[in-house]
Amino acid sequence: MSLEQSITRSPILEGLSALNRWRQDLVSGLHEMAALTADLGLLPSGTMLQLETLAYDTEQDSLRIAFVGEFSRGKTELINALFFSDMGQRLLPSSSGQTTMCPVEIRGAPQGRPGLQLLPIASRSLDVSIEKLKKAGSAWRKFPLSVADKKERSESLAHLTETVCVAVEDARRIGLCPPLNRTPKNRERTVCPSCGLGKVLIPRWRHAILYLAHPVLDAGLTVLDTPGLNAIGAEPELTFSMLADADAIVFLLGADTGVTQSDLMIWDQYLMRNAHQKQIVLLNKIDTLWDELREEDDIQQEITQQVANTATRLRISPDQVIPVSGQKGLVARIRQDAELLERSGLAALERSIAEVLLPARHETIKEKCRMLIERAVLDQKNMLQDQRHRLLAQMDSVQSLKDRTAEKIPKLVAQHQILLKNFEQDRQAFEEKKARFRQAVEELLLIPLAPNTFDLVISNAKAEMLSAWTTAGIVERFRQFFSEAIAHFDRALEGAQQVSAMVAEEYQALQKRYRLPPLRAVPYAMMPRRAELMDMSESYERFGMMLEIAVNTQSSVVRKAFLTVAGRTRDFVVETRREAENWVDEIMAVMNQQLQLFHQNAEEELNSLQSIATTMGNIDTRVQQLEQSLAEIQEQSDRLDRQSAPLLSLLREPFRPVR
């Protein structure tokens, strides 16, 4: 079996390919459902746009795996072995004396064009997040990447290991060196062996994005290679954003070192408490325990004991700890040595990723799509059923007219004309009340979630945060910031309930008087959004303890950490406000549609009665028209069933990687 065939049979690639095929089927189904929804015209146009947006987001979805650990734990070498051994050599620099000095995101190449983007370390002086800087092309240095030429590729990727000597003052300015008032007396005049007196060695780059055309990346994988503890503590966005957003964390420990105090700090402060993530703990470099003078059983027993000790220190089950040798696994992959591959533990790790992480991502995508899809299908089915019931009632009414005397028909016409006149008056009054309703929406629901209000909360909190010089003070200010944010949410929640009551009261009066169908618009779910904010509060609160490191170094890290949290919270509030506005637009559109539909049906019935009054012979014609309308509704219902069935089936499918 060739090396290419071996990589193709990788359980990770198999699973990713299966997940990608399922996701593409789901995206196609969403596009078809959006087109059908627009064609049927039963729901507001906003629903079709939501389906199209969901299709786009699902298509862009990727499985994000972050590799975390102290320096020299073998993160980069393991990434080379797991995903890129088909290149015949190391992709990322990880040999002796070489290590990546900044976080590296590895993504699929747009249009198949590889490249390397590097963000200069000086950007740390800007109060702008890395995510926003990704949209500013001029902020990055871009390098071509030759995949075919191994020498040129290695030279390009060597940029990831670059460092630069700078004055201590410059390092302090960008938060990479303690301020003078917190620097030990014996280190005020730092001497760097490479740079000289008063200078320090720092990474040249703050962040890197590597675009690469590769099967596992094209199938929907994004890999984040992180530096050690120093980089995690100095770059709050790495902790609060990138690691928090990862679907899975692979935490590397060294079999030659065991669980060190810095390893335990990373685990306790950054990783173990995120219930929404999957964590895989690796005991790397087990080849350091291999000894040709010892029996294999003795070696395996020592590895098993190391696994048990690691699990005890991290307070997890031994089943969550996988012993592995990334370096030997890479050698085994390149040399196609099946025995060495199995002994290295790489094959077991690949199976674990495929069996744990991929089904979890599959379930996450399903949950994200299920509510909107099921709601869109159910709402359209209900509206078609309502129309069918109205047509059947009209058929019964028209059919009964056939048995009535001609003298009664003019009276029915007059009654129906009065009904339409009264309806128009009531509808006009309802339209006039909409201005009051819109004002209530603005005052009760949207103002509490206004971005400028949160900007003021953030500004005040930022000022108070910088004046807090104790861990307790920082933790308390984080807690107070979220308390203020939740208070605004509670006002908006109360406002949403009042708005819902106003809508129901106004619509129910018309519903009762004219037998309109019930308002099927789902009330805006503020409570789940509030619960998400509470989860964010609990998730971020613990990171305040981590900032003890930052308080003892420099305020710039505290500021960046708070701005990252505050920015994500503000984005969450803005998104909630936008969804609330969409809900208001949707419920108004649904009410207008119901009123318009009643008016249309009432006019049709009046026209029918007037035709019947002109000639009783028109009754048979009207019956035929109603039968034709019923047939059209049945055809629409059948189309909805046919096109929704495969999509709903995809949402019920368990994850099935190809075996």
Side-chain angles (χ1 to χ4, degrees):
M1 181 174 62
S2 69
L3 180 58
E4 183 178 353
Q5 289 173 326
S6 173
I7 292 298
T8 303
R9 290 192 177 185
S10 161
I12 296 177
L13 179 57
E14 272 189 7
L16 280 169
S17 299
L19 180 64
N20 191 43
R21 286 191 296 272
W22 174 83
R23 185 172 57 236
Q24 292 305 318
D25 290 342
L26 185 61
V27 169
S28 297
L30 282 166
H31 284 309
E32 291 174 3
M33 179 55 63
L36 177 61
T37 299
D39 188 33
L40 294 180
L42 297 169
L43 299 180
S45 59
T47 303
M48 182 271 291
L49 293 176
Q50 289 177 26
L51 288 167
E52 288 288 3
T53 300
L54 183 60
Y56 175 81
D57 291 343
T58 303
E59 190 168 24
Q60 299 301 311
D61 182 85
S62 65
L63 176 68
R64 294 160 297 182
I65 303 180
F67 289 76
V68 182
E70 259 291 22
F71 283 115
S72 301
R73 295 295 187 264
K75 298 184 294 295
T76 305
E77 186 79 327
L78 186 66
I79 292 171
N80 287 329
L82 271 174
F83 307 118
F84 306 116
S85 58
D86 57 326
M87 294 188 168
Q89 65 174 25
R90 293 180 175 91
L91 171 67
L92 301 174
S94 63
S95 57
S96 178
Q98 285 188 312
T99 183
T100 52
M101 299 299 294
C102 65
V104 182
E105 284 184 67
I106 310 172
R107 299 172 170 270
Q111 290 83 47
R113 292 186 295 228
L116 178 65
Q117 290 188 184
L118 298 172
L119 183 64
I121 195 68
S123 66
R124 285 177 56 87
S125 62
L126 305 174
D127 279 336
V128 182
S129 69
I130 294 175
E131 282 303 313
K132 290 184 179 178
L133 286 173
K134 287 179 182 179
K135 301 175 184 178
S138 59
W140 299 73
R141 290 282 306 279
K142 299 178 181 180
F143 298 90
L145 185 66
S146 174
V147 178
D149 191 312
K150 294 182 180 180
K151 181 179 179 181
E152 289 186 17
R153 184 178 72 206
S154 297
E155 290 175 353
S156 296
L157 294 179
H159 288 297
L160 299 173
T161 67
E162 290 178 340
T163 55
V164 60
C165 278
V166 299
V168 174
E169 291 76 12
D170 292 335
R172 287 193 181 107
R173 181 173 52 82
I174 60 176
L176 289 180
C177 194
L180 277 174
N181 62 349
R182 296 188 180 275
T183 302
K185 292 293 183 182
N186 61 345
R187 299 193 61 187
E188 289 180 351
R189 297 178 60 80
T190 303
V191 177
C192 174
S194 303
C195 312
L197 181 65
K199 293 193 174 183
V200 292
L201 195 66
I202 65 172
R204 181 180 291 275
W205 311 108
R206 180 184 180 188
H207 196 82
I209 304 177
L210 173 59
Y211 295 104
L212 190 67
H214 191 275
V216 292
L217 303 178
D218 295 338
L221 177 69
T222 296
V223 178
L224 177 63
D225 185 12
T226 65
L229 175 62
N230 290 341
I232 292 178
E235 184 63 77
E237 190 174 354
L238 180 61
T239 300
F240 288 116
S241 181
M242 299 176 195
L243 293 185
D245 288 342
D247 299 295
I249 298 290
V250 178
F251 182 44
L252 272 75
L253 303 166
D256 53 342
T257 62
V259 182
T260 67
Q261 194 60 37
S262 59
D263 290 328
L264 199 57
M265 181 184 298
I266 293 176
W267 176 254
D268 286 340
Q269 294 187 354
Y270 304 108
L271 308 180
M272 69 172 292
R273 299 181 184 178
N274 193 338
H276 303 292
Q277 280 179 333
K278 297 291 183 181
Q279 285 103 13
I280 294 178
V281 178
L282 301 185
L283 190 63
N284 195 23
K285 301 186 179 182
I286 59 170
D287 56 291
T288 59
L289 304 179
W290 298 352
D291 187 341
E292 294 181 1
L293 300 180
R294 297 174 61 191
E295 295 292 333
E296 182 64 25
D297 289 345
D298 293 339
I299 295 174
Q300 290 303 318
Q301 185 176 355
E302 183 175 354
I303 293 175
T304 301
Q305 186 60 47
Q306 283 266 40
V307 167
N309 293 341
T310 299
T312 300
R313 289 292 305 277
L314 299 183
R315 302 179 299 282
I316 59 176
S317 167
D319 294 338
Q320 291 180 249
V321 182
I322 301 176
V324 67
S325 170
Q327 192 273 335
K328 297 303 180 186
L330 178 61
V331 172
R333 277 293 191 193
I334 294 175
R335 295 179 179 175
Q336 303 181 52
D337 187 334
E339 183 179 349
L340 181 59
L341 180 67
E342 194 64 33
R343 191 183 186 199
S344 72
L346 191 68
L349 175 57
E350 289 177 329
R351 290 192 293 269
S352 179
I353 291 176
E355 293 169 3
V356 175
L357 303 187
L358 296 179
R361 190 65 203 155
H362 179 266
E363 193 62 31
T364 299
I365 297 173
K366 286 201 301 185
E367 289 304 315
K368 180 181 177 183
C369 297
R370 179 177 286 113
M371 181 177 292
L372 178 60
I373 294 172
E374 291 180 348
R375 173 185 165 189
V377 173
L378 182 61
D379 281 355
Q380 292 182 96
K381 283 187 175 182
N382 286 333
M383 295 191 76
L384 287 171
Q385 188 69 11
D386 287 340
Q387 291 186 26
R388 183 174 180 275
H389 288 159
R390 284 197 294 270
L391 287 173
L392 289 173
Q394 288 185 38
M395 284 189 68
D396 289 342
S397 176
V398 172
Q399 196 64 40
S400 66
L401 283 175
K402 207 170 185 179
D403 303 326
R404 298 175 187 175
T405 60
E407 291 80 8
K408 293 182 179 179
I409 293 178
K411 183 179 178 180
L412 292 173
V413 170
Q415 290 175 347
H416 218 72
Q417 288 173 334
I418 293 172
L419 175 70
L420 268 174
K421 181 180 179 181
N422 292 337
F423 178 76
E424 280 301 318
Q425 292 174 348
D426 289 342
R427 185 179 181 182
Q428 183 61 38
F430 181 71
E431 289 293 329
E432 293 172 358
K433 292 177 182 178
K434 281 184 181 178
R436 181 167 60 88
F437 172 61
R438 287 282 185 184
Q439 183 179 357
V441 168
E442 182 68 27
E443 294 176 355
L444 300 175
L445 180 56
L446 299 184
I447 287 180
L449 300 178
N452 58 350
T453 302
F454 274 84
D455 288 339
L456 182 59
V457 172
I458 291 170
S459 177
N460 293 337
K462 176 184 173 183
E464 295 178 14
M465 179 69 71
L466 292 178
S467 66
W469 288 100
T470 65
T471 301
I474 292 173
V475 172
E476 177 57 31
R477 199 57 193 82
F478 265 90
R479 186 179 296 114
Q480 184 180 342
F481 169 72
F482 276 103
S483 177
E484 293 173 10
I486 292 167
H488 283 281
F489 251 74
D490 288 340
R491 284 179 54 201
L493 174 60
E494 183 179 351
Q497 292 169 342
Q498 294 180 39
V499 167
S500 296
M502 289 176 62
V503 175
E505 181 181 358
E506 298 294 345
Y507 183 80
Q508 284 172 4
L510 293 176
Q511 179 187 353
K512 182 177 180 181
R513 193 171 302 147
Y514 299 105
R515 297 182 180 179
L516 298 176
L519 194 61
R520 297 188 184 278
V522 177
Y524 180 64
M526 285 288 292
M527 285 302 291
R529 297 291 294 182
R530 184 184 187 278
E532 287 183 50
L533 185 60
M534 291 292 292
D535 286 345
M536 288 175 64
S537 172
E538 294 172 4
S539 176
Y540 287 135
E541 187 174 305
R542 73 176 189 273
F543 290 120
M545 299 304 297
M546 176 273 294
L547 292 174
E548 182 176 3
I549 301 172
V551 170
N552 292 331
T553 55
Q554 63 277 317
S555 62
S556 64
V557 175
V558 177
R559 184 181 69 252
K560 289 180 182 296
F562 176 72
L563 289 177
T564 300
V565 173
R568 288 170 66 83
T569 305
R570 184 187 186 279
D571 292 343
F572 179 82
V573 170
V574 170
E575 181 184 352
T576 302
R577 191 176 194 271
R578 183 167 55 251
E579 289 186 4
E581 290 175 322
N582 290 339
W583 166 69
V584 172
D585 292 340
E586 181 180 347
I587 199 169
M588 296 298 290
V590 169
M591 287 191 298
N592 286 336
Q593 196 168 35
Q594 298 288 16
L595 295 174
Q596 182 63 33
L597 194 57
F598 175 86
H599 185 269
Q600 178 181 332
N601 291 333
E603 281 196 331
E604 287 181 2
E605 192 165 350
L606 177 59
N607 292 335
S608 174
L609 288 170
Q610 289 173 334
S611 297
I612 293 171
T614 303
T615 169
M616 292 295 291
N618 285 350
I619 292 180
D620 292 335
T621 302
R622 179 56 180 163
V623 169
Q624 292 175 359
Q625 291 173 348
L626 291 172
E627 288 176 343
Q628 182 178 351
S629 297
L630 278 170
E632 290 173 357
I633 288 177
Q634 185 60 51
E635 191 274 333
Q636 290 176 338
S637 183
D638 291 343
R639 281 181 63 194
L640 184 60
D641 287 338
R642 285 195 305 271
Q643 289 192 220
S644 65
L647 187 56
L648 294 173
S649 176
L650 284 172
L651 296 180
R652 291 189 292 268
E653 272 188 23
F655 182 63
R656 296 191 185 94
V658 178
R659 295 293 183 186

